[in-house]
Amino acid sequence: MRKLSASVSILLFATTCMGTSLKAQSLDTSYSGSVRVRYETLNNPIFPTNENIRTKTNERLSTRIRLKGEANYGNWNAVAEIEDSRAYLDDNDPTLKSSQVNTLEPVQLYISYKSNSEYLSSVTIGRVTLDHGSRRLIGRTRFRNATNSFEGALIDANWSGWHVRGFYLLPLSRFPIDSASIDSNKRAFDKSFSNRKFFGVYAESEDNTWKVHSYWLKESDSKDLATKNRDLFTLSVDYSKTFSENWKYNIEAIGQTGQARQSTSTSDIDDKDVSAWMVHSHIGKQISANTFIRAEIDAASGDDDSTDNTIKAFNSLYGLRRFDFGPTDVYQTFPRSNILAPGLRAVTKFNSVNTIMLGYKGLWLKEVAEGQEDFLGHQIELRWRYQASAPLRFELGGAYLAKGEALETGAYPDNSMYAYTGVMYSF
């Protein structure tokens, strides 16, 4: 008999417990979902490359369908969500990964018990997706085509004016992983592995002023999973404040320590110390009835020497970067590592249906080897959203990168031009 997955085993146990404790109450059910279609085109990839690795011009048509069902019975809640993410027209693009293609996968399958206790809010077991705080360390994707999922248990509680969540999870690996299968939108169930664990505590103050993340990621190699043997502790402190005449200020500071290897190669058995950090901060104000503008800066540690005994490159775990650095997927924006990026951003909501975002980033490498260039370039980003009706939204956007000296190598030194258009129907 084949072994049951972690989420199925957990759900069978929870269902047995639920059946012994439920009283005669009404069963409430609901469903929701969305269908998104997006077309992207890019001329001149950002990072140094050549024709043998990546074509000069790339286009992609991607689809994402989400279907979610929910049932509530007394204090019990059950959720099942299926996601189908596919890509077309990409012509064997080497940047196409399982982060963009994941065909017909249950991304959520869990049961929760909501407590009436003053301190305990709920207990959840099964397969889940998560949003914590700024989403820079763990988040549910919005722009990217596929979603991070986890299997395990979460406990939500209230303590001394704080909402606190403790969790023990096994991150899922998306399958298939070979390029040919991904390019053909082939189907394979995602799996978790007992030799990769993700656990910690997330807390936020009742007024959302403070958010504290603490994460442990522990992994080791096995027959089925090659890893960097990361044993990382990551701590984030996030503070927001509104002051004088409605100015809004935020800073998030993250430290990371532990051990890891430089690669997933089986021949790499050198455990190195990790010492890394990341900082994001912004300050902004509503300058008119329709427009909010802010100045921002992102910085993260990086390595200029992979041969020494310390890894200084910041690891963003299961976090997202689209909202700080620009579109992902085809554009392949900059990683949240070895970066210094001040910028400006403005969001204007002209009316109930039209919203425009305009952003600028100056981009530098935080660390470079002696004699190398550090300036990556100037990036301008534009996004227009049109809410045609409550369920139907159109979106048009793009980015232009005027490349700096650090990127003016390879076969495509010219500036990068990217555009996308998409439509999403939600129900």
Side-chain angles (χ1 to χ4, degrees):
M1 178 182 291
R2 296 181 66 183
K3 292 180 67 178
L4 292 173
S5 73
S7 60
V8 173
S9 302
I10 289 169
L11 283 173
L12 286 174
F13 173 75
T15 304
T16 303
C17 295
M18 183 173 66
T20 62
S21 62
L22 287 178
K23 300 178 181 179
Q25 302 180 56
S26 63
L27 176 66
D28 297 321
T29 61
S30 63
Y31 67 90
S32 60
S34 64
V35 179
R36 187 183 74 180
V37 180
R38 185 174 65 207
Y39 172 78
E40 301 171 77
T41 180
L42 171 68
N43 191 43
N44 290 310
I46 294 177
F47 302 104
T49 187
N50 57 60
E51 186 70 31
N52 293 328
I53 298 174
R54 189 176 183 187
T55 57
K56 180 177 181 179
T57 300
N58 184 41
E59 59 180 349
R60 184 181 301 165
L61 181 70
S62 60
T63 62
R64 188 182 69 195
I65 301 172
R66 287 174 171 171
L67 299 173
K68 181 179 179 182
E70 186 168 356
N72 292 283
Y73 196 105
N75 288 355
W76 293 89
N77 168 250
V79 170
E81 183 179 19
I82 296 174
E83 181 175 282
D84 186 88
S85 302
R86 303 179 185 231
Y88 307 91
L89 306 180
D90 55 278
D91 195 23
N92 295 309
D93 178 3
T95 68
L96 184 67
K97 306 292 184 183
S98 61
S99 59
Q100 296 135 50
V101 172
N102 198 20
T103 306
L104 201 61
E105 182 68 31
V107 292
Q108 294 202 99
L109 190 64
Y110 67 81
I111 288 179
S112 289
Y113 177 78
K114 297 180 180 178
S115 172
N116 296 322
S117 165
E118 177 185 355
Y119 299 105
L120 180 64
S121 296
S122 66
V123 177
T124 301
I125 50 179
R127 182 177 290 194
V128 298
T129 62
L130 297 176
D131 271 339
H132 283 175
S134 68
R135 301 163 59 232
R136 293 186 180 96
L137 291 173
I138 184 170
R140 179 182 168 99
T141 58
R142 310 292 198 267
F143 187 88
R144 201 182 73 192
N145 217 33
T147 301
N148 293 327
S149 293
F150 307 83
E151 292 179 333
L154 304 91
I155 297 177
D156 289 287
N158 298 299
W159 177 75
S160 191
W162 286 73
H163 303 298
V164 181
R165 167 177 286 172
F167 58 91
Y168 186 92
L169 302 169
L170 304 181
L172 264 75
S173 292
R174 286 182 290 268
F175 287 93
I177 57 175
D178 65 287
S179 299
S181 295
I182 293 172
D183 186 64
S184 300
N185 294 302
K186 291 290 181 65
R187 166 88 195 85
F189 278 116
D190 298 346
K191 294 191 295 184
S192 62
F193 296 89
S194 60
N195 54 307
R196 183 171 58 202
K197 308 172 184 69
F198 187 60
F199 54 94
V201 176
Y202 170 72
E204 59 182 37
S205 60
E206 206 164 34
D207 60 1
N208 284 323
T209 298
W210 291 92
K211 299 178 180 69
V212 179
H213 312 238
S214 55
Y215 301 113
W216 287 262
L217 175 63
K218 291 181 177 288
E219 64 182 12
S220 58
D221 289 337
S222 71
K223 180 180 66 175
D224 299 315
L225 181 68
T227 75
K228 291 184 177 181
N229 280 61
R230 291 173 295 178
D231 186 354
L232 300 179
F233 172 66
T234 305
L235 178 65
S236 164
V237 178
D238 188 326
Y239 175 70
S240 299
K241 183 179 179 64
T242 300
F243 61 99
S244 179
E245 298 183 356
N246 292 320
W247 283 88
K248 297 182 184 297
Y249 173 73
N250 170 265
I251 184 169
E252 181 173 18
I254 305 175
Q256 194 170 72
T257 187
Q259 286 189 325
R261 294 174 183 172
Q262 201 73 49
S263 71
T264 60
S265 171
T266 55
S267 62
D268 185 355
I269 57 172
D270 187 11
D271 293 319
K272 297 185 177 184
D273 292 332
V274 174
S275 179
W277 56 267
M278 189 223 84
V279 173
H280 168 88
S281 185
H282 65 254
I283 184 169
K285 186 180 180 181
Q286 193 82 25
I287 61 172
S288 72
N290 300 324
T291 300
F292 182 85
I293 189 168
R294 79 183 198 188
E296 58 192 27
I297 188 167
D298 291 273
S301 62
D303 257 327
D304 59 357
D305 184 3
S306 61
T307 64
D308 63 12
N309 294 322
T310 304
I311 295 175
K312 298 177 183 176
F314 180 73
N315 187 311
S316 58
L317 302 178
Y318 300 96
L320 310 176
R321 56 201 167 113
R322 188 267 182 271
F323 46 84
D324 285 330
F325 292 102
T328 50
D329 285 10
V330 170
Y331 186 60
Q332 291 287 303
T333 191
F334 297 91
R336 198 183 294 280
S337 179
N338 196 23
I339 197 87
L340 175 63
L344 294 170
R345 188 178 304 265
V347 177
T348 300
K349 189 170 184 177
F350 292 100
N351 47 45
S352 61
V353 297
N354 288 287
T355 303
I356 286 182
M357 186 276 291
L358 179 63
Y360 161 79
K361 283 280 191 183
L363 298 143
W364 285 262
L365 291 169
K366 180 70 176 60
E367 301 290 342
V368 295
E370 185 176 352
Q372 292 187 351
E373 300 289 347
D374 63 354
F375 183 53
L376 297 167
H378 301 283
Q379 177 180 278
I380 298 173
E381 182 189 356
L382 175 68
R383 184 191 67 209
W384 169 57
R385 285 177 175 168
Y386 174 64
Q387 198 73 41
S389 62
L392 185 62
R393 187 180 78 189
F394 293 92
E395 187 167 319
L396 177 67
Y400 180 84
L401 178 68
K403 291 182 179 178
E405 294 86 350
L407 293 177
E408 290 179 342
T409 59
Y412 313 133
D414 294 334
N415 299 335
S416 298
M417 294 175 286
Y418 166 82
Y420 74 92
T421 182
V423 58
M424 184 166 69
Y425 181 83
S426 303
F427 55 90

